[in-house]
Amino acid sequence: MGRHLSEQNRHLNNKKEQAVRTGKETSSAGLSYMERRMAGRTGREAAVAAIVPAMIAAVLLAAFMFVPLDGWMRCVAFLIPFVIAGFDVFMESVERIAARNYFDKAPVTLIAAIAAFSVGYYPEADLLLILFGVNRLVEGIVSNLCGRDVSELPSIKPETANVETAEGVLNVTPDCVNVGDIVVVPAGERIPLDGIIVEGMTTVDTASISGQSRPWAVTEGYRVYSGCRNLTSEIRVKVTKGFEQSTASRIVRLSHKAPDYKSNQEERTERFVSVYTPVMLAAAFLLAVIVPLFNGGWTEYIRRSAVLLIMACPAYASLAVSLAYIKAIGAAAGCGMFVKGSDCIESMAQSETVIFDKTGTITEGRYIVTDVFPVNMTDHELLTAAASAEMFSRHPIARALRESAGAIDTQNIRISQAEELPGRGVSALVGDARVYVGNTALLEEHGITCEIPSRSGAAIHVAVDGRYCGHILVSDRVRSGAFDALESMRVQGVKKMVLLTGDVLSVARPLASKLNFDMLRAEQKPEDKLSAVTYLMSNKGIRSTVAFVGDGNTDGALMKRVDVGIAIGALGSDAAFISADVLMMDRDIKKLPRLFGLSRMTYRIALENMAVGICVSVGISVLGAVGIMPVLGTVICGFALNTAVLLNAIRIK
Ligand code: ADP
Ligand code: MG
C-alpha cells in the first residue's frame, strides 16, 4: 500500500494528530496548560491533581443542593463550585482560543456552562464542569492503557554498548558504534546492534521483537538482532548495521509513526466533528440570540442553546476512534507483528481476498533433496554443479541444494556472474561453464529441452554449457497450523483465499486442495504474479480490500500493489521494512487469524464509537433544539457518551 502522505504533510498531521489524540494542544511555549500543570508529577499524582478540583466542587454542589437558598444567595453559592471546577477549563479555553482553536471541547464546554448558569441552571452548569474533569481523568487513563504497549516499546532499544577499541572495551551509546566494530554482550544484557557472532555461544530471547519467548540457540556465524536479550553467556558480535538501521530502532520508529497514517474511519470522524461543531455553535447562537429577538422567551431559548452547546463537541468520540487503532497497533506489537499504520489495520479488517505466496509462507521453505536424476554424470557431479551455481542465492531451494552437495572446493572452482532469476532459478559461470539451475521455463528460455520428471514433485533442472544434465527433486513441508489458520480467517470473513506460486502445478494443486484454497495460480513468473494481483485488485468489491501474505525479500513488488502487504519472517529483512505494511517477525502463520481478528474487532469498535458518538450527539441536539431535552439529562447523557466510547476502546485486545 502506498504510504500516501508527504514527509511535510505528515509532520503537520503528526502534530495535529497528537493534539487530537491526547486532547492537548501545544501552545507557543511548547506545553499546553494542562501539561504544564501536570509536569513533574507521576501518572497517579497527575490524575489526582486533575480530579481534586472536580471532587471539591462536587462535594460543595451536593451540600448546596440541601441548603434552602434563594435569589442571589443561591447564585453565589453555586458559583463557588462553578469557579473551582471551571478554573482549569477556563485556563485551557483561554489558551485554545489564543491558538485560534475555537471549536475545542474546553471552550465549547465553558460556553455551554456559562449559558446554562446564566439562565438559572446552576447545578446543571456545575455538574457539566465537574463531569468535564471526570472525563479528563477517564481520557488520561484510557489513553495510557491504549498507548501503553506502543509507548513501552522504546525499552527494547538498548541504551549502551560495550565496544572494543584500542584502549580496551568502552561503554558507549549504541549510536557511536560503527559498522564493523566488535561489541561485547554479557549475559543478561540486550544486544545493542544487529550483527554476526564472532565468538561465543549462547541463547537469545527474541520475545520483545518476535512476541515469542522461545530461547534461540546461537553460535559463531549466526546473525543476532538488536533488542533481543542475551541469556546465557557472553558473546562478541561484529556489528553489521548502524544504530538507526538496526532492528530495535526500526521497530520503535515504525510503531511510533504508525498512528500518523490515519484510517478512513478516523479521518471521517474528524471531518464530521470539524463540520458539526461549528454548525452546532451557529445553531446555538441562532436559538439564543436571533430567535428570541422575534419570539421573546430568552430564558427558554438560552436553555435550549445550552443543550446544543453541551452536545456540540463530540471530540471524545473522535478520540475514542483513534485510541482504538492505537490499542490495536500496540496489541499486534505485543505479539511480534508491527503494523505501519492505522490504515493497515482498517485494510486488514475489510479484506475479503487474501493472497498467499507458497514457498516459505504456506510451506516451511525448508526444502530437502529427495531424489537426483543425472544424465551422463554421477549424482554428486550433478549436485555439485547445481550447488556451485546456487552459491550466492538466498532461495530456500538453493540452500537445500548446497546442503545436499556438501562442501564445495571453492579454492579450485571459480564462480562468477551469478545471477538470481526470480521465479525461475539461477544462472552462473562455474569455472568457464555457463550453468542454469531452475525450472523448465528457465531452461526452455535458453533453448534447452528438459526431461519430464519420472516422479511427481518439484523438479530443479540443471544445464551446463547448453547441455541438459538432469534434474533434482526437492520437497517442502506445509507449515504446521496452516490449515487451522486459514479456516479461522475464513470464519472471520475472508471470502477468497488465493495461492500464488512459481512452483509447478503438480506440486501446488494437492496443496491448494488440502488447504481449501479458492483459487490457485501455479507456475507463475514474477510478472504473472503481478498481473494476477492486479486482476484481483481490480475485481474486488466496494469497501473490500486485498491482502497479500508473503516473503518481504522476494515479494516486495506484490506487497506494494495490494491494499495491505504482510511480510512473514521479517526479522533481519531490510526489504520487508521497506515494502511491507505489516511485519511479522517470526514465521508463525498461526498468528495471522490473531492479526485479522484484532483488525476486525478494532474496526467494529471504532465504528461503534463513531456511530454512537454521532447519533447520540445529533439526536440529543435535535431534541434540545425543539425543547424536549432537559439540561440535566443532556449533561448526564454527554458524560455517559464520552465515558462509554472511551471505555469501549480498551476492549480491544
Ligand atoms: P513461490 O512462488 O512458491 O514462492 P518462487 O517464485 O520463489 O516460488 O520460485 C518459483 C519456482 O522457480 C521454484 O519452484 C523453482 O522451480 C524455481 N526457482 C526459483 N528460484 C530458484 C533457485 N534459486 N534455484 C532453483 N530454482 C529456483
Ligand atoms: Mg516466494
Side-chain angles (χ1 to χ4, degrees), residues 326-593:
I326 296 181
K327 183 86 199 304
I329 290 166
C335 308
M337 293 179 284
F338 299 95
V339 182
K340 277 193 185 164
S342 301
D343 52 347
C344 307
I345 298 271
E346 189 176 42
S347 290
M348 284 188 284
Q350 293 176 319
S351 56
E352 289 186 351
T353 303
V354 182
I355 309 169
F356 288 86
D357 172 56
K358 181 182 78 73
T359 310
T361 304
I362 289 293
T363 66
E364 287 181 349
R366 261 188 247 132
Y367 278 94
I368 47 162
V369 171
T370 53
D371 238 325
V372 186
F373 297 92
V375 174
N376 299 331
M377 56 168 64
T378 63
D379 286 6
H380 187 252
E381 280 167 349
L382 180 64
L383 281 169
T384 307
S388 308
E390 297 270 19
M391 190 60 83
F392 305 106
S393 168
R394 291 187 63 184
H395 199 278
I397 292 179
R399 199 182 319 137
L401 295 177
R402 286 195 299 264
E403 275 170 14
S404 179
I408 290 173
D409 183 4
T410 42
Q411 296 288 343
N412 293 320
I413 304 178
R414 194 170 39 84
I415 298 150
S416 56
Q417 295 177 20
E419 198 186 344
E420 184 98 44
L421 307 158
R424 294 176 178 81
V426 292
S427 150
L429 267 186
V430 179
D432 293 325
R434 168 62 61 189
V435 180
Y436 292 111
V437 184
N439 51 22
T440 324
L442 172 70
L443 271 72
E444 280 173 357
E445 269 170 36
H446 295 91
I448 303 158
T449 316
C450 297
E451 205 172 53
I452 296 169
S454 49
R455 290 233 316 268
S456 69
I460 304 303
H461 301 272
V462 183
V464 178
D465 270 342
R467 188 172 57 86
Y468 184 72
C469 296
H471 65 273
I472 301 162
L473 287 183
V474 291
S475 86
D476 191 8
R477 272 206 322 232
V478 178
R479 269 185 204 288
S480 83
F483 181 83
D484 292 345
L486 265 60
E487 283 308 299
S488 305
M489 288 168 72
R490 219 180 279 280
V491 172
Q492 286 166 347
V494 175
K495 296 208 175 104
K496 194 178 201 177
M497 301 271 193
V498 182
L499 182 64
L500 207 55
T501 177
D503 211 343
V504 288
L505 193 61
S506 60
V507 173
R509 191 181 277 147
L511 182 86
S513 66
K514 194 165 140 198
L515 296 181
N516 285 335
F517 274 97
D518 303 290
M519 185 174 153
L520 165 68
R521 289 275 179 103
E523 299 178 22
Q524 300 278 293
K525 297 191 197 95
E527 54 275 24
D528 304 329
K529 288 185 181 178
L530 264 184
S531 51
V533 166
T534 311
Y535 168 80
L536 289 165
M537 279 295 284
S538 53
N539 284 286
K540 63 181 182 180
I542 312 163
R543 282 190 190 279
S544 95
T545 59
V546 176
F548 179 87
V549 187
D551 172 335
N553 284 317
T554 52
D555 301 321
L558 303 177
M559 304 239 178
K560 287 194 180 132
R561 279 284 169 99
V562 293
D563 295 300
V564 56
I566 303 161
I568 78 162
L571 185 58
S573 158
D574 291 347
F577 273 93
I578 297 166
S579 55
D581 299 304
V582 183
L583 295 108
M584 185 192 286
M585 287 296 153
D586 56 12
R587 292 180 177 274
D588 187 359
I589 198 168
K590 294 193 286 294
K591 281 184 185 169
L592 280 178

